[in-house]
Amino acid sequence: MAVFDTPQEAFGALRPVCVQLTRAQTAENVARLQARLGAVSAPALQALQEYVLFPLRFAMKVPGPRPERLVQSLVRCVCSVLAATRVRKPELLRELLSELCTCLSPPASAGQAASQSEELKLDVIQALHTLMHSACGDVLLSLYQPSTLPLLGFAVSLLLGLAEQEKAKQIKISALTCLRVLVLQCDCQGHPHLGEEEAQHCGDLFASFLPGISITLSRVVTGDIKQGHKPTVSALRLFYLVVGLVMADTQLARIPENREKLPVEPSRVSELMVHRGPGWRKSTADKLSLLLRKMVEFSSVHPHWKVRLELVELVHHLLRNCSQSLVDSFSHLLKALVGLVNDENSEVQSRCHEVLRGIAEQRMVAQNRALADVLSENLHSLATALPRLMNSQDDTGKVSTLSLLLGYLKLLGPKINLVLNSVSHLQRLSRALVQVLELDVTDVKIVEDRGWGCQSLAGPPGSLQQGVLEGRSQRKHFRFFTEEKVLQLLQQVCRVLGYYGNLYLLVDHFLGLYSESGLYRKQAAMVLNQLMAGAAGMGVGVLQERDVLPSVDDLRGSITSILHEYQDQANWYLITSIDTEEMGREHPAQHWGGARCSVLLPSSEPQITTHTMNSNIWQICIQLEGVSCFAAVLGREFRLLLLSALYPVLEKAGDKTLLVSETALGTLVDICVACGYESVQCLINENSDYLVNGISLGLRQLAHQPHAARVLDTMLRHSDASLLPLVEDVIQDVLSTLDQSYNTQASTFLRVLHSVMTALVQWFGASCSEEQQQPEGQSSTLPQGQQGTRQEVERFFLDYIRQKQMAEGDLADVGDEEADEVPPLAKPEPNPDTEGEGPLPSHAQLARAVMERCIHLLSDGTLRVRLKVLDVLELCVTVLHPHRNHLLPMAHRVWPALVARLISDDPLAVLRAFKVLCTLAQKCGDFLRQRFSKDVLPKLTSSLLSQAPASARAGPVYSHTLAFKLQLAVLEGLGSLCEKLDMGESDLDKVAGACLVYLSAKQPLKLQEAAQSVFLHLMHVDPDSTWLLLNEVCCPQQYQPPHASLRPLQLQGMGTQRGQFTHNVLLLLERLQQLESSTPGAGTQELSPP
């Protein structure tokens, strides 16, 4: 609380201490004055300002050395007076400025003064800061006149020296802050805001200081990083504020070319003034460009985020105020700005995006041709160096480089066509993209992964889409990078090009690269896919909207031309496997392609390497991804292109290469989503008319269109029974064509027939399983005579006689249409199996027709064909099973060829044929009993007995051999065969004897388990004989006769020591005993194999 409120009272209180200080300049006297000033009110002190300052200034100007403590006290006291008052006289302001600066720079006559303390320097800087803020507006502006240039220069150089040379961080920061106030760039509220004329005047004045300020500040910015981030941030801010003032475009535009004659000024002062004419402007811009480059390079990688943030502000300020005068520096400035878009700090990132968006919205580039030219040249230089940088930098450097490229494109915006219209620029950019996107095609696994065409549907309509979307995308491996972020940036680069660029020009140029060389084809296709996505505005981040939106017709036209190139024979039908069958399918397309194809693949014995096949697989997949992208671009408009696009995609969905088929399935799902189909099934059904027509034409021209079978295969796998009437004629064409070309096209057509039969089993499998129950129930109950009437017994024997005659081959030879009709054997009682059966359904008719072809093809000379025939045959049996009157004659006809495969064929064919035999036995029942017993069983048992010693001696590797697999298959199926065929006692003895050796502990474990399953099935048929046989090997207990008159039961296995068969025999006897105790009187009917 002030004690002296009036000037008179204050004068009376201050006069003694002021006089005392004038007489004796000591720190104590200054302290007394300082203490007395605390009791004076601000208005009273304002009236006595000059009176109070006089002794202080006098003490500071006394000649000779002065104690530092005294000087420090004087400066602090002056600062306190200035903080409480306002300087209202220009002369006082100039004199105080000079005197305070002199405190840090003693006269040279005083000799070499000792270094001053940091405290004194801080106090002087604070006093200067307070002085500038205490001056009134007009008084402050009076300081900035040409006549005061020496004084201002003195203060500026002093503060710059402190900022550069001092080690103390606080002194650096305070000096830079004070310097900012001195050049009128302080952002405090009390400072006057410069008007247009005042700013112009100050710009002329500060131009004299620009070299010293800019050079010194650049040294501070690029100085030792140990100084911390605050001095660097302050120096950057002061730099762009001073440069933005002196080099402002609005000011320089008003500068006349010739220097105006200044008012009467001292000659030395006039020499200090700078004329900011064109020559000075050009020279200064060039020098500032060097400094800016150095500062930008240092600050953009500074570890502290606030320095990087201040660099963003520097770029923004200079771009906004000096876009014409510093245009040569913008290559460095924009590079820094764009490079910081992906900064690790979120504040830096967001600020960068704001600045870039502001540049785009204000159309700085669009309205500034010089700036657009700078960006174009930067883009050209970066595109030239891009392959080298991508090959030499680490992933972080690659991300920074591509972020810079993307930023240039976004800043150019609609002006990007300036670059694209230049042949040199477009060539550089396109070649850089295709080189950087080069794929690594050395992965053998891509070629090795095979599948049986596309995956079949086994769930609801939406399950396929879900499964495909979850795991369809195979990660691409690139030669020059591994980081996913790099690929995302490259995709964004392509999309921004498509968004802003001339679409027809870009598509034409990259299609040229696509056709030019196989080295560029995959990369060009990836670029084209992203270009179309960008043109549609899909997933592209831009800073400003484009001027003209492409029409749907433009998009459709470009997509049509790209699809035409993608689905050209030479680009769509590429060899993806060394499989001779697959290569045979591809080669006709190559010859059909004409001269162009002969360049891509040699016509005679092409040397296909894994590298080439991998490359071909990826090319097909990228083109399929392109179809997906194009569908998303056009939406429902893509339906107009389905006529040409859907058929080739279905071809690839049936490809044996797993990656190709999965990618094609994903493409089908994407087409469904884009075109509004509920599922792939709906897509196929609604377009089946022209698809079936294409398949029909293709099957008639297999030499030129070998892939029609794949399309039918895919349609069958991904549709339902409603498709059967549409494709029935095509299937009949397949059968007719197969009849005419057994030797050349059997393998191709068998694949189609396999798909047909698989589809029929899937579509009508439920009805097959339901209808198979009743006949089996009749055959199992009637022979036992349980609860049967006389008519039922009579019907059973009549049916038995008829089936026995059929089994013995007592059938009339009739044509194909009548071969399945069995002549009636007894007229008194009609057979209930046939009396209610109507015409054979269409799917069963197809199965019978296919089965007839299989009979002829079972003896084909090619193992591959025989294996496929056996697969198809098994499916035919499953489909025909509900129609026994047709199945049994067909089984009779197929039996001789099937026996030949079982007895004298390659082990692979034997394995597959035995599987078919098991299915036949399951479906036909005891119809095959006599045939099996006579033709097959002896061979099977002898084979098992001959192979048993080898498997008992073999090691763990034996389980991977074909012989082991054949043994295992026979043992696993033999038991069920005996049960289904209701084999006789002698046959059962043969089977038991052959399988008994496999109960040995020396046999592989899987063979032991399979042999156990045989005996468990035998327990169903003849449990007593099985019990006796097992006890002859090992009898675990003694059986006492029920009466003394009876002889004791003697079994061979009684009293034997534990041997190699003991464990498995005891297990089987235990199972048999458990069964008998749980279901007394029921035999072993409920016993089941493990």
Side-chain angles (χ1 to χ4, degrees), residues 944-959:
L944 287 174
L945 289 171
S946 63
Q947 289 292 329
S951 61
R953 296 190 306 267
V957 181
Y958 183 72
S959 61

Side-chain angles (χ1 to χ4, degrees), residues 731-784:
I731 298 172
Q732 293 295 339
D733 290 343
V734 170
L735 296 175
S736 302
T737 310
L738 180 61
D739 293 339
Q740 301 169 9
S741 56
Y742 278 123
N743 297 329
T744 57
Q745 300 294 335
S747 180
T748 300
F749 287 123
L750 279 172
R751 187 183 182 206
V752 178
L753 295 179
H754 186 278
S755 301
V756 172
M757 299 314 302
T758 302
L760 293 182
V761 170
Q762 178 184 330
W763 297 341
F764 303 100
S767 61
C768 296
S769 61
E770 289 171 3
E771 294 182 38
Q772 77 181 29
Q773 303 298 327
Q774 182 61 28
E776 291 181 0
Q778 292 177 359
S779 63
S780 62
T781 55
L782 289 177
Q784 299 176 17

Side-chain angles (χ1 to χ4, degrees), residues 43 112 121 163 185 410 418 479 555 568 582 698 754 774 780 826 831 839 878 895 908 948:
Q112 187 173 1
K121 295 173 183 176
Q185 297 301 316
K410 288 182 177 180
L418 293 175
R479 181 180 174 187
L555 294 174
D568 184 82
E582 291 294 316
H754 186 278
Q774 182 61 28
S780 62
N831 186 5
T878 304
W895 182 257
L908 279 174

Side-chain angles (χ1 to χ4, degrees), residues 17-38:
V17 291
C18 288
V19 171
Q20 184 70 20
L21 179 57
T22 305
R23 292 175 178 173
Q25 293 84 28
T26 63
E28 291 75 10
N29 291 334
V30 178
R32 293 190 188 96
L33 177 59
Q34 180 77 46
R36 192 61 59 88
L37 288 174

